[in-house]
Amino acid sequence: VFPLIPCGKCDACTNGDYAQCADYDYYGSRRNGAMAEYLAVKVKNLCQIPNNVSFEEAAMTEPAAVAIHAFRKSGAKANDTILIYGIGTIGLILGEWARVTGVKNVIMVGRSEDKIEFAKKLGFPLAINTTDIKEKVMEVTKGRGVDVCIEGTGVSKALEDCISAAKNFGTVLCLGNPEGKMTLSQNGYWKIMRKELRIVGTWNSSFLHKENDWETALLAMKEGKLKVKPLITHRFGLAEYEQAFDLMKERREMFCKVMFVR
């Protein structure tokens, strides 16, 4: 289910840019969502699951669509080096999509060793700690800098690090949703100007438009190009909901995607 309900009347909706709708509704935030016992969904918000895509895989369509949308906005292309700051579900899917499309090097950046090791097990040998960014970028790019940096945490330091890692005329994509105030140092601002960086924002995903990120994600799963099941680290029954939510809230152990299953 595509959760955004566009008004259908504003300029953004007229252009098919529903994520920018001026007066949208939303399943799961502005109205009841999947935690309700029953949910009536508009037919036009439904996506058909291909026969060989499992329910667990299909449940990952939303983060996969967000990742694909962000990648498209970044302008990254084959033979580029891309840095993804944030080893979470969307960041890892982004990295996988980058590989599928031929990106030469994918540098994954995380703050905890367990997530870095998790990324390496998923096939990202260039996964590193935040303290190792400069050294790794200089090594991989031979001192040139990264073609595309994706900030996926919504943290000021991550944005600064991405600006520093980007090459001259490179791109910094803002993906992470900040929980508080974002700041940028004078030196960081200078780097944007001097390098003539391209700063790009991304929001949600495209649906029922010339670029349907949801259909792209499901087709990639169907064809085996996008493998999302390895990202599911924990499975719970509905009766175990307290245990599931406590795991995420208290961060007792490393998790990526936590899922309720029958």
Side-chain angles (χ1 to χ4, degrees):
V1 178
F2 179 64
L4 190 147
I5 308 169
C7 72
K9 301 174 183 177
C10 67
D11 289 344
C13 285
T14 301
N15 294 330
D17 299 320
Y18 301 127
Q20 284 71 40
C21 174
D23 188 27
Y24 67 90
D25 204 340
Y26 209 92
Y27 296 115
S29 64
R30 299 190 174 192
R31 65 165 66 187
N32 285 341
M35 300 300 281
E37 186 174 1
Y38 296 101
L39 179 65
V41 176
K42 293 178 182 293
V43 172
K44 64 183 180 182
N45 281 64
L46 295 174
C47 296
Q48 187 168 355
I49 303 172
N51 289 333
N52 61 334
V53 174
S54 68
F55 286 161
E56 287 189 357
E57 292 169 308
M60 302 277 276
T61 306
E62 192 272 345
V66 170
I68 290 169
H69 186 73
F71 183 82
R72 283 172 167 165
K73 295 287 286 185
S74 76
K77 53 189 182 299
N79 297 319
D80 277 354
T81 293
I82 186 171
L83 183 147
I84 301 170
Y85 203 119
I87 302 178
T89 302
I90 293 174
L92 288 165
I93 295 175
L94 239 170
E96 189 173 352
W97 191 251
R99 289 189 306 197
V100 167
T101 55
V103 169
K104 184 178 181 181
N105 298 306
V106 180
I107 301 174
M108 303 290 302
V109 179
R111 287 175 287 186
S112 62
E113 288 302 320
D114 50 3
K115 286 205 169 186
I116 293 167
E117 287 305 312
F118 183 65
K120 287 181 178 179
K121 288 178 182 177
L122 292 175
F124 296 102
L126 299 180
I128 57 171
N129 195 286
T130 56
T131 56
D132 301 323
I133 295 175
K134 184 176 180 180
E135 180 182 354
K136 181 59 68 174
V137 167
M138 292 299 101
E139 174 192 332
V140 172
T141 67
K142 296 180 171 56
R144 184 176 59 97
V146 173
D147 298 286
V148 174
C149 289
I150 297 178
E151 195 297 291
T153 65
V155 176
S156 298
K157 183 184 182 303
L159 178 60
E160 291 266 359
D161 286 344
C162 285
I163 290 169
S164 296
K167 71 174 187 178
N168 293 339
F169 310 108
T171 297
V172 174
L173 182 85
C174 299
L175 167 67
N177 198 1
E179 294 184 0
K181 184 178 180 181
M182 292 288 289
T183 60
L184 181 64
S185 69
Q186 184 182 41
N187 190 43
Y189 193 84
W190 272 336
K191 288 177 181 177
I192 293 174
M193 295 191 298
R194 183 163 184 171
K195 293 182 180 182
E196 297 192 24
L197 297 180
R198 176 173 168 258
I199 309 296
V200 182
T202 183
W203 187 253
N204 208 313
S205 55
S206 294
F207 185 76
L208 291 178
H209 192 242
K210 56 187 176 184
E211 286 185 345
N212 191 320
D213 301 314
W214 290 63
E215 287 185 355
T216 300
L218 286 167
L219 180 61
M221 293 178 202
K222 175 184 178 181
E223 295 177 346
K225 295 178 180 177
L226 196 59
K227 302 184 189 306
V228 293
K229 265 194 173 183
L231 302 183
I232 305 171
T233 53
H234 295 77
R235 293 170 173 84
F236 292 94
L238 282 176
E240 302 171 295
Y241 72 93
E242 290 184 351
Q243 183 181 349
F245 289 132
D246 284 346
L247 168 71
M248 293 185 286
K249 182 180 179 180
E250 297 174 9
R251 299 182 181 273
R252 293 193 303 268
E253 58 188 79
M254 195 284 292
F255 65 87
C256 185
K257 176 56 69 175
V258 179
M259 190 171 291
F260 288 117
V261 298
R262 292 184 62 185

